[in-house]
Amino acid sequence: MHVRYSYLKQQFSNCDDLWKKLKKFVVTGDFTLGKELAIFEKNFAKLIGTKYAIGVNSGTDALKLSLKSIGIKPGDEIITAANTFVATVGAITELGAKPVFVDCDDTFCMNVDQVQKKISKKTKAIVPVHFTGYMTNMPKLVKIANKLKIPIVEDACQSILGAINNKNAGTWGISGAFSLHPLKNINVWSDGGIITTNNKKLYDHIKLLRNHGLVDRDTVKINGYNSRLDTFQAVVGNWLLPKSKSIAKKRIENAKYFDDHLSKIEEIRIPPRPRNYKIVYHLYIVFAKNRDKLYKYCLKKGIEAKIHYPKPMYLQESLKYLKHKKNDFPVTDYHCRNIISFPCDQHLSIKQQNYIIKTVKDFYKKN
Ligand SMILES: *Cc1c(COP(=O)(O)O)cnc(C)c1O
């Protein structure tokens, strides 16, 4: 059996209703900051539970514009997680700021108990990454940040509808950054991103930043960027958004099924599943003994398993100037060696799930 990782071919194989909407849309010519975008922003804010949302052209820009809007300048230090996707770090370095890493714990998110000791006079923001669809321990982090008066910008790119105590990712910090990249849980047909906030001043500022700082056609108030979410993509977003809760639900059900069966295998360890956390499983990850061999075995058996990631961000060549050494972040390093990701999306069939479970069982019987 073949178990693919990407479900994109399935997701849009049957969407005649979307094509109809797009056909209607293209003849309006309303391509830039159009009506459908305003609708998408309103509905996205409502879904997440903030007053405002601003569409931008990627998740990376959602982070970058958020940081820019709170005044991040070259030389500032930004605290973030050691095990994230490159984009978190890219948004920070593009503003000339310095990423200061904190090790993660077994939820794959920043260990907030280690934040305090990384704070310096130059610390100007904290960017927790709700990695894999988990949540950073936000109740605790918000307390620490409030005490220090340091703003939090959430990297919620992997955690649309993730929550703690029913409070969603993207509502805890001064703003939240989401990605609508094709591989994210809520996706459009190309790059896209969106920022959530309750802060009117920030909202107005980011709206200027994403559109060259233009107040109107002839008036430039601040120096900005071209970072608009295409209205075309907002049409796709408006089509998908009503399905977002059922997508999260299906992923959670699939993960529960994996947990129930994989936890019976002695060589597999399931990460903690705190009861007050809603984990939306952008990635489904477990710890596996003999991981490299299991990974190769899965590939041989037709299962497109993945490793997120085999080499941590802090050891990448692009960050050599930070002078980190191997083992600076031991939990992150442990994860790099021991985790494996399996597909967990809403289009995965029960047959495919059972095949994955059986394949893992077979591997450990033989090894
Ligand atoms: C995907 C992702 C981003 C950036 O999103 P893009 O839309 O690809 O620019 C940022 N942070 C994390 C953790 C991500 O997974």
Side-chain angles (χ1 to χ4, degrees):
M1 190 189 282
H2 176 66
V3 186
R4 84 291 176 271
Y5 195 81
S6 170
Y7 54 91
L8 286 175
K9 282 186 195 163
Q10 278 168 285
Q11 190 182 12
F12 297 109
S13 62
N14 186 7
C15 63
D16 287 348
D17 50 339
L18 174 55
W19 278 117
K20 259 187 215 149
K21 281 181 198 230
L22 287 168
K23 268 188 185 164
K24 260 197 188 157
F25 165 72
V26 290
V27 296
T28 65
D30 192 18
F31 293 124
T32 311
L33 299 178
K35 197 170 121 198
E36 287 275 353
L37 175 62
I39 295 170
F40 180 64
E41 290 172 333
K42 197 168 141 244
N43 289 337
F44 194 87
K46 196 169 154 206
L47 176 74
I48 300 301
T50 53
K51 278 193 193 143
Y52 312 105
I54 311 116
V56 292
N57 74 6
S58 68
T60 310
D61 269 17
L63 284 166
K64 188 176 78 179
L65 268 57
S66 288
L67 291 170
K68 183 87 182 165
S69 72
I70 57 169
I72 298 306
K73 292 185 300 301
D76 290 346
E77 291 182 1
I78 315 284
I79 295 198
T80 193
N83 62 322
T84 185
F85 178 58
V86 52
T88 319
V89 175
I92 294 168
T93 55
E94 218 186 319
L95 294 176
K98 180 185 168 188
V100 174
F101 294 116
V102 173
D103 207 358
C104 63
D105 58 27
D106 281 351
T107 68
F108 310 111
C109 295
M110 171 191 289
N111 182 341
V112 298
D113 291 330
Q114 297 185 14
V115 167
Q116 190 101 31
K117 66 178 184 207
K118 301 279 177 157
I119 304 278
S120 82
K121 276 197 184 120
K122 292 185 183 166
T123 308
K124 292 291 153 57
I126 302 172
V127 179
V129 183
H130 306 315
F131 200 55
T132 79
Y134 254 99
M135 288 291 296
T136 308
N137 185 342
M138 292 309 287
K140 213 169 184 180
L141 185 63
V142 166
K143 259 188 213 155
I144 296 167
N146 282 349
K147 209 171 76 195
L148 298 162
K149 296 198 170 61
I150 296 172
I152 295 174
V153 170
E154 292 174 73
D155 182 341
C157 286
Q158 299 195 359
S159 200
I160 286 189
L161 295 177
I164 295 179
N165 301 331
N166 296 317
K167 186 170 163 54
N168 282 334
T171 67
W172 296 81
I174 190 161
S175 66
F178 293 87
S179 169
L180 305 168
H181 182 276
L183 291 176
K184 297 289 156 65
N185 289 17
I186 298 299
N187 50 348
V188 294
W189 283 2
S190 177
D191 280 304
I194 189 159
I195 300 167
T196 52
T197 184
N198 284 315
N199 185 310
K200 175 76 163 63
K201 250 174 87 180
L202 221 63
Y203 169 68
D204 290 335
H205 191 85
I206 294 170
K207 275 204 343 190
L208 282 179
L209 277 178
R210 76 163 170 192
N211 191 32
H212 307 293
L214 284 165
V215 180
D216 57 47
R217 185 177 172 279
D218 303 312
T219 316
V220 187
K221 190 164 176 198
I222 57 170
N223 294 318
Y225 304 93
N226 176 352
S227 183
R228 300 174 295 254
L229 177 62
D230 287 319
T231 311
F232 180 89
Q233 303 297 358
V235 176
V236 180
N238 283 330
W239 177 82
L240 192 62
L241 215 54
K243 304 175 180 50
S244 53
K245 282 185 183 163
S246 67
I247 289 171
K249 190 163 165 259
K250 190 75 178 81
R251 283 176 177 268
I252 291 167
E253 280 167 16
N254 288 348
K256 173 88 172 56
Y257 190 80
F258 273 142
D259 277 5
D260 287 349
H261 289 82
L262 294 177
S263 61
K264 294 189 183 121
I265 303 170
E266 203 184 312
E267 294 87 348
I268 295 288
R269 180 164 67 86
I270 310 289
R273 308 292 191 208
R275 294 195 80 140
N276 59 336
Y277 280 43
K278 182 176 163 205
I279 307 165
V280 288
Y281 300 99
H282 172 63
L283 307 172
Y284 179 84
I285 294 184
V286 292
F287 300 99
K289 280 210 175 120
N290 210 349
R291 194 276 315 270
D292 288 339
K293 221 169 154 192
L294 171 66
Y295 172 65
K296 279 191 196 127
Y297 184 79
C298 286
L299 293 184
K300 207 178 81 195
K301 293 289 174 181
I303 298 167
E304 286 182 37
K306 303 261 177 207
I307 292 159
H308 295 91
Y309 296 95
K311 186 174 182 176
M313 209 32 234
Y314 82 90
L315 289 176
Q316 295 289 346
E317 196 181 337
S318 63
L319 293 179
K320 231 158 70 184
Y321 66 96
L322 294 176
K323 298 197 165 59
H324 282 302
K325 306 177 302 298
K326 216 173 172 168
N327 225 25
D328 277 358
F329 302 96
V331 178
T332 295
D333 291 340
Y334 174 85
H335 287 186
C336 292
R337 293 191 305 268
N338 291 283
I339 58 178
I340 185 162
S341 312
F342 295 114
C344 187
D345 57 86
Q346 65 273 22
H347 296 282
L348 195 69
S349 71
I350 190 80
K351 262 193 181 157
Q352 288 172 313
Q353 280 204 284
N354 284 334
Y355 179 67
I356 292 171
I357 294 161
K358 182 179 177 304
T359 305
V360 176
K361 273 188 188 155
D362 287 349
F363 170 77
Y364 286 116
K365 261 182 221 148
K366 289 182 205 160
N367 287 279

